[in-house]
Amino acid sequence: MVNETPQVMTIAGTDSSGGAGMTADLNTFAAHGIYGANIVVSVTAQNTLGVQHVHMLPPDMVMAQLQSVADDLAIRAVKTGMLGDAATVKTVAQGLQQFNFGPLILDPVMVAKGGAQLLSDEAVATVRTTLMPLATLITPNIPEAEVLTGRTIQSPSDIMAAADRLHSFGTKNILIKGGHGNAHMVTDYVRLENGEHFWLQTTRFDTPRTHGTGDTISAAITAQLGLGVTLKTAIMHAKAYVDATIRDGIAVGHGHGPLNHFPKVTAENQPEVYDEI
Ligand SMILES: Nc1ncnc2c1ncn2[C@@H]1O[C@H](COP(=O)(O)OP(=O)(O)OP(=O)(O)O)[C@@H](O)[C@H]1O
Ligand SMILES: Cc1ncc(CO)c(N)n1
């Protein structure tokens, strides 16, 4: 029997300009040499300047796609990106319980870099109650962590408290991304199931070309899990990968431009690891 090619999956929206959402996920999977299936929940008319239009697919079409993949492929890990509304979140949660797609990486996408809302307010509670208990890892940025916890985050101790609170909603592992703001260093926080926690720091690239960084790091973690490494190793590799995708930037569009999903990852992309900051 032929060895099975490792397969992972993304459940997300499309970005017509090809930089974020599902395209970022599939490019990231390809860059890791892993096969990617894709469940489309929404179509966005979008470019590097903003999101112009969103069209949600009906929940039964989302479920039909999940069924088709489950009937045929052997998915080892799955990530969710833009889910849009509460009905879609519920359908996805139902599908993830019905079928075995392996560990869930939940990227709670809420707002695009240009400011467009990609998750309705009422869907936030649905994410908290239906998807968070199913997730192996959640990867909010700071504003998303604030919305999910209902608490303001201003300091490292606020970030640690937010991670504890997110864990209390049932998600085993937490990665709070620190890409927002303009501090000289970007600092992410990781809290693992075994109680281990640490900070990952890299130098901020001063560039507007960061469209889809969040999609890309969660897709890279999903790809690594599909390749069989531990979650901690997956996070470390994914962080170095996303750093390289920004450093080796490409010039597309006039706003928040896309990443280079096929960069050369080198030693200088490895983050510094700190127990405390
Ligand atoms: N300018 C930058 N330089 C270096 N690393 C960055 C930069 N911007 C983001 N990152 C890193 O990219 C990853 C994604 O973080 P970010 O906070 O941008 O996610 P996000 O807001 O969900 O992204 P998006 O909504 O665009 O998909 C994190 O590991 C973060 O530290
Ligand atoms: C479809 C889609 N998903 C996610 C994001 C966030 O990067 C985006 N801008 N568009």
Side-chain angles (χ1 to χ4, degrees):
M1 178 147 142
V2 181
N3 274 343
E4 200 170 65
T5 301
Q7 301 152 43
V8 293
M9 183 166 81
T10 172
I11 305 174
T14 66
D15 165 4
S16 49
S17 67
M22 182 162 284
T23 321
D25 295 341
L26 293 175
N27 278 334
T28 301
F29 296 161
H32 286 79
I34 194 162
Y35 184 85
N38 47 191
I39 308 297
V40 187
V41 309
S42 68
V43 176
T44 74
Q46 181 176 174
N47 56 30
T48 66
L49 300 171
V51 178
Q52 289 80 41
H53 202 75
V54 174
H55 176 73
M56 295 300 300
L57 263 65
D60 59 352
M61 187 56 204
V62 173
M63 189 51 99
Q65 293 176 75
L66 291 168
Q67 178 81 57
S68 296
V69 174
D71 285 347
D72 191 25
L73 275 65
I75 301 299
R76 293 187 182 180
V78 56
K79 70 154 278 189
T80 55
M82 173 189 176
L83 294 177
D85 59 25
T88 305
V89 173
K90 278 185 204 151
T91 304
V92 168
Q94 193 190 327
L96 291 174
Q97 279 171 294
Q98 196 170 327
F99 310 116
N100 180 13
F101 294 127
L104 166 65
I105 308 304
L106 169 58
D107 183 13
V109 173
M110 292 183 191
V111 179
K113 280 262 152 66
Q117 191 164 358
L118 300 178
L119 185 73
S120 69
D121 291 338
E122 50 144 18
V124 171
T126 317
V127 168
R128 213 186 280 128
T129 54
T130 66
L131 279 181
M132 285 193 64
L134 302 178
T136 293
L137 174 73
I138 188 165
T139 63
N141 58 31
I142 300 265
E144 289 159 353
E146 289 186 319
V147 171
L148 286 167
T149 60
R151 310 246 167 107
T152 310
I153 297 176
Q154 280 168 337
S155 65
S157 62
D158 291 343
I159 293 176
M160 293 168 73
D164 285 344
R165 194 160 161 76
L166 292 169
H167 184 253
S168 77
F169 297 143
T171 303
K172 296 187 185 75
N173 303 277
I174 319 290
L175 165 60
I176 300 184
K177 300 169 296 188
H180 289 240
N182 48 20
H184 177 61
M185 304 301 285
V186 288
T187 309
D188 298 355
Y189 179 67
V190 180
R191 182 201 193 283
L192 298 178
E193 196 178 2
N194 62 8
E196 192 182 348
H197 57 98
F198 50 90
W199 303 86
L200 297 177
Q201 223 171 42
T202 49
T203 304
R204 176 180 299 280
F205 293 108
D206 184 15
T207 169
R209 302 187 191 284
T210 57
H211 189 54
T213 45
D215 311 285
T216 298
I217 194 165
S218 53
I221 294 168
T222 309
Q224 292 285 350
L225 291 183
L227 293 172
V229 307
T230 66
L231 182 61
K232 184 175 178 183
T233 302
I235 291 171
M236 299 302 291
H237 281 315
K239 177 72 189 162
Y241 170 73
V242 78
D243 194 75
T245 65
I246 306 171
R247 182 201 59 195
D248 292 357
I250 50 175
V252 176
H254 299 86
H256 291 291
L259 309 172
N260 174 5
H261 282 103
F262 299 89
K264 190 166 166 44
V265 184
T266 60
E268 71 186 35
N269 299 118
Q270 305 301 325
E272 298 292 340
V273 184
Y274 300 100
D275 291 338
E276 285 175 33
I277 55 160

